[in-house]
C-alpha cells in the first residue's frame, strides 16, 4: 500500500512508541488531533496500525517503506569486517604505519577478548600535530579508552549503528559484547563496522543485491 | 511483483546491457541458455522485460527492488555538503587545524571556481609521519592534484558515487564540473559527498524518511 509522507511518519511514531494516543501523535507532529483523523483512518483501514480503547494506537506491520524494511533487516554480524588489534605497548608511529599497511581507518588496542580502547586516523593526526615524535608516544595516550568507547552489539541492526556513527561523529565502531570474566568486565571484540561498510551496504541495496 | 534472486540478477543485466541476447545473459550468469528459460518466461509475462527478434531482451521497468529504485533516485545535488576550500599557499599544519575546527575529513585546494587538488586526513597523517614540520610543508606537496582527482557530477546518482568511493578507496568526492574558461580547463566546485553523507542517506532510508 502506498502511503503519504505524513502517513509514513505516523506509522514510524506508532511503531517506535506504541501504544500511543492520538493526542500524543498529534503533539509530536505539531498538528491538531483532528488534522490527523483522515490519516489515522487510512492506516487503520489498511491494517497498518490498530487502536484499542484506553490504550491508543499500536503497530501491526507493513505500511512502511520497503527500503526501510530491507535496510532494517541488516545486522552488524552480517556486515562487519575483520578488526585489527594492536598490543597496548605499541607506539603511535607503529600504529599509524599499520593503518596504512592494512588500509583501514581505525585500530583496536589490547586483545581480541579484552579491548582496552580504540584509535582512529583522527586521533593519530591530532597526536602528530603536537609535534612530538610519534614513535615516543604510547598508543594508550592517544586512544579513546574502553569506558568512553561507543560500540555495537552483534545483533544490532545497521540503522541503529548508522545512527551512532552520525550522532557521535565517529568513522568506525567495534562490534562485540561486554563479558564478566572473574568479576572483571571485559569487552570481547568480534568485528568492526565503519562508514565504508555502510557505503558498501548502500551500494548493494542500490544495485538490488541485498 | 516478487522476484527470485536470479530473476533480479537477470533484470539488472538486461537493464544495464539491453538489448541483450539470451545467450549473453546465460554467459554472464555462467549457466546454460535452457536453464534460464523459466526465469525469462516469468520476467516476460510480468512485463519486466520484453523481447524482440534479432535484437534480444530489453528492460521495460519495474521488477527491481523498491529499495534499489528508491536509492537510485538520489543525486549528488540533493545530498551534498558545503565544501571547504583553502588557498594553495596554505601549509599542511594549517590545513590539518582546519580539518579539526570544521570537523571534516577532506579539504579542497585552490578556489571554488578553480579547484587544483584535494587533501584528506590520510594525506596529512602520511605527511606528518615523515617527521617533517607540517607548518613547513606546502599543501600542494600533500594534495592529490586535479588531474588525478576523482569527482562526481551534480546530477550523478548516489549509487554511482558510492561505487567510486569504494572502488578508489576514498572518503570524499568533490561535486562539480570541468569548464573551459578561455581555453583553460577549470574544475568548478559545487559541493562534496563523503561516506558520512552516504551514512546519513542510509539512515534516512532506514527510517523511511526519504
Amino acid at each position: 500500500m502506498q502511503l503519504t509522507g505524513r502517513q509514513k511518519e505516523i506509522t514510524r511514531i506508532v511503531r517506535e512508541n506504541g501504544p500511543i494516543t492520538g493526542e500524543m501523535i498529534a503533539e509530536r507532529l505539531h498538528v491538531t488531533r483532528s488534522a490527523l483523523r483522515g490519516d489515522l483512518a487510512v492506516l487503520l483501514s489498511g491494517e497498518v496500525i490498530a487502536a484499542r480503547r484506553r490504550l491508543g494506537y499500536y503497530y501491526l506491520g507493513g505500511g512502511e517503506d520497503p527500503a526501510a524494511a530491507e535496510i532494517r533487516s541488516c545486522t552488524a554480524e552480517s556486515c562487519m569486517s575483520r578488526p585489527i588489534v594492536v598490543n597496548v605497548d605499541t607506539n603511535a608511529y607503529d600504529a599509524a604505519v599499520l593503518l596504512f599497511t592494512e588500509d583501514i581507518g581505525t585500530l583496536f588496542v589490547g586483545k581480541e577478548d579484552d579491548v582496552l580502547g580504540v584509535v582512529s586516523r583522527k586521533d593519530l593526526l591530532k597526536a602528530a600535530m603536537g609535534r612530538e615524535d610519534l614513535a615516543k608516544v604510547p598508543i594508550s595516550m592517544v586512544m579513546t579508552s574502553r569506558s568512553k568507547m561507543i560500540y555495537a552489539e552483534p545483533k544490532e541492526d545497521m540503522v541503529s549503528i548508522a545512527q551512532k556513527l552520525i550522532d557521535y561523529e565517529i568513522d568506525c565502531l567495534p562490534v562485540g559484547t561486554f563479558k564478566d570474566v572473574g568479576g572483571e568486565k571485559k569487552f570481547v571484540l568480534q568485528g568492526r563496522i565503519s562508514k565504508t561498510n555502510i557505503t558498501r551496504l548502500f551500494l548493494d541495496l542500490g544495485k538490488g543485491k541485498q
Side-chain angles (χ1 to χ4, degrees), chain A:
Chain A
M1 107 184 252
Q2 209 46 31
L3 301 181
T4 65
R6 177 179 284 175
Q7 287 161 2
K8 283 183 197 171
E9 191 61 19
I10 296 171
T11 303
R12 193 182 59 77
I13 291 171
V14 173
R15 192 182 62 239
E16 290 175 6
N17 306 285
I20 181 169
T21 65
E23 284 73 22
M24 284 161 77
I25 300 172
E27 203 171 285
R28 275 165 187 262
L29 291 172
H30 307 289
V31 297
T32 62
R33 174 73 184 77
S34 65
L36 285 185
R37 220 151 269 165
D39 289 324
L40 287 171
V42 169
L43 294 172
L44 286 166
S45 74
E47 298 192 327
V48 174
I49 63 173
R52 202 167 287 168
R53 269 189 63 190
R54 286 177 214 262
L55 195 65
Y57 297 94
Y58 56 96
Y59 179 61
L60 288 175
E64 54 180 349
D65 261 305
E70 212 170 315
I71 285 173
R72 245 196 308 280
S73 70
C74 310
T75 62
E77 274 180 328
S78 61
C79 300
M80 66 192 185
S81 296
R82 188 177 59 93
I84 309 289
V85 183
V86 294
N87 200 292
V88 71
D89 304 333
T90 310
N91 66 59
Y93 183 83
D94 288 345
V97 169
L98 199 60
L99 283 191
F100 284 100
T101 53
E102 293 278 348
D103 203 17
I104 47 173
T106 300
L107 288 174
F108 303 99
V109 180
K111 291 172 194 160
E112 283 215 11
D113 59 356
D114 188 13
V115 172
L116 304 175
V118 55
V119 174
S120 71
R121 210 179 272 154
K122 200 169 164 180
D123 297 325
L124 289 167
L125 180 58
K126 197 184 273 175
M129 286 171 67
R131 298 181 198 197
E132 267 180 285
D133 185 352
L134 280 187
K136 289 180 186 149
V137 177
I139 195 76
S140 57
M141 294 281 294
V142 178
M143 72 184 188
T144 299
S145 65
R146 189 179 55 191
S147 61
K148 289 181 188 166
M149 190 171 78
I150 310 296
Y151 69 100
E153 302 268 358
K155 301 278 181 216
E156 196 165 334
D157 75 66
M158 293 297 285
V159 173
S160 156
I161 293 172
Q163 185 79 61
K164 286 181 180 172
L165 292 172
I166 294 297
D167 288 350
Y168 296 97
E169 298 184 359
I170 39 184
D171 285 329
C172 182
L173 289 179
V175 179
T177 38
F178 274 101
K179 275 189 188 155
D180 243 312
V181 182
E184 231 186 313
K185 233 181 156 191
K186 292 187 174 177
F187 186 81
V188 181
L189 187 66
Q190 284 172 257
R192 68 186 164 92
I193 300 273
S194 66
K195 286 177 184 165
T196 305
N197 295 95
I198 304 263
T199 304
R200 243 186 242 126
L201 187 55
F202 176 87
L203 192 54
D204 286 349
L205 288 165
K207 286 182 165 175
K209 273 194 205 156
Q210 263 294 316

